[in-house]
Amino acid sequence: MSTLTVNTPITLTVPAEYGYVILVAVGSTFVLGWKAMQVGKARRKYGIKYPTMYSADNNQFNCIQRAHQNTLENYPQFLMLLLLGGLEWPVVSAGAGILFLAGRIVYAKGYYTGDPKKRMYGSFGYLGIFALAAATCRLAFRLATSQ
């Protein structure tokens, strides 16, 4: 265990393996950046100017934009579950985070084909979210029942 002490009456003790959780959180920013670049490339390719969010007549662009937007919609929950669940089960949480991110990449690659049904190939990533939710619930119950 490592102890992080700041100038407050709170001391937070984190497992040494929590570093893996932090690395996954940092890695997730690269996944978001990659998706943002795909949207930028699609904007140039299809002539979709800012601030237009979705095209009225270009389904291919909309699929690329939607893959990015959907990940952004899920990102706050992912980070919260990753960072809290990682306090309880850091290695499991890091692995679950990698699984979620891999699912997001496969989801995007499927969506980028222009066939929205192919996005579902990445749905395995939600197994990572379920594992992160379990780790976070375990942390919550342990804290709530400790004396």
Side-chain angles (χ1 to χ4, degrees), residues 77-101:
Q77 299 90 308
F78 164 71
L79 280 181
M80 184 270 300
L81 293 171
L82 174 68
L83 296 174
L84 290 176
L87 292 170
E88 188 67 19
W89 292 331
V91 176
V92 168
S93 294
I98 290 169
L99 181 64
F100 175 75
L101 294 173

Side-chain angles (χ1 to χ4, degrees), residues 65-139:
Q65 169 67 5
R66 188 69 199 127
H68 183 239
Q69 187 66 36
N70 183 266
T71 297
L72 292 174
E73 292 164 3
N74 285 277
Y75 197 58
Q77 299 90 308
F78 164 71
L79 280 181
M80 184 270 300
L81 293 171
L82 174 68
L83 296 174
L84 290 176
L87 292 170
E88 188 67 19
W89 292 331
V91 176
V92 168
S93 294
I98 290 169
L99 181 64
F100 175 75
L101 294 173
R104 294 279 83 196
I105 292 167
V106 172
Y107 174 92
K109 297 292 267 181
Y111 227 155
Y112 293 171
T113 67
D115 180 358
K117 291 178 186 171
K118 291 184 178 176
R119 75 190 193 283
M120 299 310 291
Y121 297 149
S123 61
F124 67 86
Y126 285 104
L127 294 173
I129 287 291
F130 296 142
L132 291 171
T136 302
C137 286
R138 177 136 163 46
L139 172 68

Side-chain angles (χ1 to χ4, degrees), residues 23-24 28 31 39 42 56 58 61 68 74 82 98 102 122 136 142 144:
L23 288 172
V24 172
S28 72
V31 173
V39 173
N58 191 314
F61 172 78
H68 183 239
N74 285 277
L82 174 68
I98 290 169
T136 302
R142 186 173 57 80

Side-chain angles (χ1 to χ4, degrees), residues 12-78:
L12 177 63
T13 302
V14 298
E17 297 86 0
Y18 195 76
Y20 298 126
V21 173
I22 295 169
L23 288 172
V24 172
V26 171
S28 72
T29 66
F30 290 101
V31 173
L32 289 181
W34 171 73
K35 286 186 171 192
M37 287 189 286
Q38 302 312 303
V39 173
K41 288 192 318 193
R43 282 187 181 283
R44 287 187 296 281
K45 180 177 180 179
Y46 300 115
I48 309 295
K49 304 292 182 204
Y50 287 106
T52 302
M53 192 74 148
Y54 294 101
S55 172
D57 58 0
N58 191 314
N59 189 56
Q60 182 68 41
F61 172 78
N62 290 343
C63 287
I64 294 167
Q65 169 67 5
R66 188 69 199 127
H68 183 239
Q69 187 66 36
N70 183 266
T71 297
L72 292 174
E73 292 164 3
N74 285 277
Y75 197 58
Q77 299 90 308
F78 164 71

